[in-house]
Amino acid sequence: MTRQSAVPDKPANTGYTPTGTTIRVLAALAFCHLLNDMMQSLLPAIYPMLKTSYKLDFGQIGLITLAYQMTASLLQPLVGIYTDRRPQPYSLVGGMSFTLVGLLLLAHARSFAGLLVAACMVGVGSSVFHPESSRVARMASGGRHGLAQSLFQVGGNAGTAIGPLLAAFIVLPFGQSSISWFSLAALLGITVLWNVGSWSRAQTLAPARSHAKSGTVQVHLSRSQIRLALLILMLLLFSKYFYLASLGSYYAFYLIAKFHVSVQSSQIHLFIFLGAVAAGTILGGPIGDRYGRKLVIWCSILGVLPFTLLLPYANLFWTEILSIIIGLVLASAFSAIIVFAQELVPHKVGMISGLFYGLAFGVGGIGAAFLGELADHTSIFFVYSVCSYLPAFGLLTWFLPDMKHLDVKAGSESSFPRRRE
C-alpha cells in the first residue's frame, strides 16, 4: 500500500522500541568503533615525530595517509556488497585483527616502505570493520536509524579524538615502539566483537523478525533520481572530508608554524578539535530522525562556511574557538548523509555503508596527499585559505529529493503515522 506522505523525511515509526539486548549491541559497536578509530588515529597523530625521525617531507606524509585511506576506501564497498549477499557475523573480528597487525608493524617499522605497509594493514582493518558494523548497527536500531548511526559514529569520533592525546602522553615520550602497547586494546575489541558476531548470527537466522524490527522504508524514486541523489550526497561528503583532511592531517603543523606551539601542545589542540567532532556526531542522527535528514545536511555543511572562512585569519584563541564550532557543526552531517543514502537503497545497507565509508576514507587520503604536495609548493597557510571555501558545496543540498513529497512503503507498517498535533 502506498500513499502521499505529509510528514518530513524521517523513517516510519514501527512501534518497536530497542530492547536491553539491542542497546547493549549498539553500545558494544560504539565501544569497538572507539577502540578501532583510536588505534587508527595514532598514525596521523605521530606524523610530526615520523617526519623528524625519517626525514620525510609533506608529500611523503600525504602518501602515508593515502596508503591507509585508499586501502580502506577501495575495499569497503566490495566488503559491503559481499556481506549484503552473504552476511559474515564474525568478519568484525577479522577487521580488528588486521588493525592489530598494522599496529605491530607500525611500532617496529624501520623505513618509509615499512610505514606504508603498516598503513595499508590498518586500512584493510577499516575496510572490513566499518561496512559490517554499520549494517549490524542498523539491524539493532529498532527503526531509529539516525540515532543508531550517530551512536555508532560517535564512538569512532571519540576514538579519533583520544588517539592524539594518547600519542602526546605515551608515544611521543616513550618512542615509536610504544605503539605496540595498544595491541591490548585490539585484543579487547576482538573479544567484544566475537559476542556481537554471535548476536548478529542469531538475527540472520531469523530474517522475518529482523525485518519487522528494522522498519525498512522503500522510497519510490526512479533509478535516475536515486543516482542523482547519491551523487549529490557523495559530493557533499567530498566537501566535508576534503576539508577535514586539512585539519586531521595538518592541523598540528599549522599550529606549530603559525603560533610556534610545541608538538605536545599541538596534539592537545587537535584533541580538542576532534572532541568537538565527536560531540557533533551524536546530534545529527536524532535531529534527522525528528526533523529530517535534509535539514541537518543544510545546516551542517553550508552552515559552517562563515567559520571556515574566518579560521585562516584568527589568532590562537579564536582558532581554537572556531575549530570547536567547525568540528561540532560539520560532524553532524555524516549520520544524516549515510542514513539518507541507506533509505534511498534500503536493501543494500552493507554496500551503501561500504561505499560512503570508503568514499570518506578515499577523499581523506586523496585530500591529504594533494594538500601535502600543495603545502610543499606553497605553504601550509595557503592550504587553509583554499580549503576554507569547500563547505560552499552545501548549496548542492537544494537538489536532494524532498522526502515528504514521496510515496513510501514501510516494511512493517502500511504508511507513516500521522503527525500528532
Side-chain angles (χ1 to χ4, degrees):
M1 176 178 177
T2 62
R3 69 175 181 86
Q4 193 74 11
S5 175
V7 297
D9 52 326
K10 55 184 180 181
N13 181 359
T14 65
Y16 171 73
T17 302
T19 65
T21 301
T22 57
I23 290 172
R24 288 195 295 271
V25 170
L26 288 173
L29 287 170
F31 175 68
C32 290
H33 200 185
L34 182 151
L35 295 177
N36 184 78
D37 287 21
M38 176 195 74
M39 292 182 288
Q40 292 169 358
S41 68
L42 290 173
L43 180 60
I46 62 172
Y47 279 168
M49 182 181 75
L50 296 179
K51 189 175 187 294
T52 302
S53 300
Y54 294 87
K55 297 180 173 57
L56 307 178
D57 57 30
F58 284 121
Q60 289 174 307
I61 292 292
L63 286 175
I64 294 174
T65 304
L66 181 64
Y68 155 59
Q69 294 187 326
M70 286 301 290
T71 306
S73 67
L74 292 176
L75 292 178
Q76 285 199 48
L78 300 178
V79 172
I81 291 170
Y82 183 80
T83 55
D84 278 337
R85 295 176 179 176
R86 297 182 178 182
Q88 302 293 321
Y90 297 105
S91 63
L92 295 173
V93 174
M96 189 67 73
S97 299
F98 275 110
T99 301
L100 169 62
V101 173
L103 278 180
L104 294 175
L105 290 175
L106 180 61
H108 301 288
R110 292 295 178 264
S111 66
F112 178 65
L115 294 176
L116 291 178
V117 172
C120 287
M121 292 300 294
V122 174
V124 172
S126 285
S127 71
V128 178
F129 176 81
H130 286 100
E132 181 66 6
S133 56
S134 181
R135 189 179 70 85
V136 175
R138 185 176 176 89
M139 187 188 302
S141 69
R144 301 178 69 182
H145 305 311
L147 176 62
Q149 287 299 324
S150 283
L151 289 174
F152 171 67
Q153 188 63 23
V154 77
N157 286 340
T160 302
I162 293 171
L165 200 63
L166 295 177
F169 292 101
I170 296 177
V171 181
L172 292 180
F174 295 100
Q176 184 179 340
S177 61
S178 65
I179 295 173
S180 60
W181 298 350
F182 293 91
S183 60
L184 296 175
L187 292 173
L188 175 60
I190 288 170
T191 302
V192 175
L193 289 174
W194 183 269
N195 292 324
V196 172
S198 298
W199 179 88
S200 177
R201 183 174 182 273
Q203 302 307 301
T204 303
L205 295 176
R209 178 164 54 91
S210 296
H211 178 72
K213 290 181 180 181
S214 67
T216 300
V217 176
Q218 294 180 327
V219 180
H220 290 184
L221 288 169
S222 68
R223 286 188 177 182
S224 60
Q225 288 174 310
I226 291 174
R227 288 171 182 168
L228 177 61
L230 289 175
L231 176 61
I232 291 170
L233 290 172
M234 289 178 188
L235 289 172
L236 293 171
L237 203 67
F238 163 83
S239 68
K240 167 183 163 64
Y241 277 95
F242 206 95
Y243 182 80
L244 287 179
S246 69
L247 288 175
S249 294
Y250 301 107
Y251 191 49
F253 295 113
Y254 176 76
L255 294 175
I256 292 169
K258 186 171 183 179
F259 303 112
H260 309 292
V261 301
S262 67
V263 173
Q264 192 174 61
S265 176
S266 71
Q267 295 301 323
I268 295 173
H269 284 284
L270 180 59
F271 164 74
I272 292 172
F273 163 72
L274 295 174
V277 171
T281 301
I282 197 65
L283 300 176
I287 294 175
D289 284 340
R290 184 173 181 83
Y291 298 106
R293 326 268 179 226
K294 191 172 180 179
L295 177 63
V296 173
I297 296 170
W298 266 120
C299 296
S300 177
I301 296 181
L302 190 62
V304 83
L305 181 60
F307 305 105
T308 61
L309 291 174
L310 288 172
L311 183 64
Y313 308 100
N315 59 24
L316 180 58
F317 173 79
W318 283 108
T319 293
E320 186 166 333
I321 297 298
L322 289 171
S323 68
I324 291 173
I325 296 172
I326 291 168
L328 194 67
V329 176
L330 195 58
S332 63
F334 186 78
S335 296
I337 288 173
I338 197 168
V339 176
F340 200 118
Q342 288 173 345
E343 290 175 351
L344 289 170
V345 193
H347 300 299
K348 296 182 178 180
V349 173
M351 183 196 74
I352 291 296
S353 299
L355 180 63
F356 277 80
Y357 275 104
L359 179 66
F361 279 92
V363 167
I366 294 171
F370 172 78
L371 295 175
E373 290 294 334
L374 184 62
D376 282 335
H377 288 86
T378 56
S379 70
I380 197 71
F381 310 115
F382 180 75
V383 166
Y384 274 78
S385 297
V386 171
C387 290
S388 65
Y389 293 93
L390 285 171
F393 272 77
L395 292 169
L396 293 172
T397 307
W398 176 269
F399 300 101
L400 287 174
D402 191 352
M403 305 289 272
K404 68 183 179 181
H405 296 310
L406 299 176
D407 290 331
V408 298
K409 181 180 181 180
S412 59
E413 297 284 335
S414 61
S415 62
F416 281 121
R418 295 184 181 275
R419 179 185 293 175
R420 293 181 179 178
E421 298 297 335

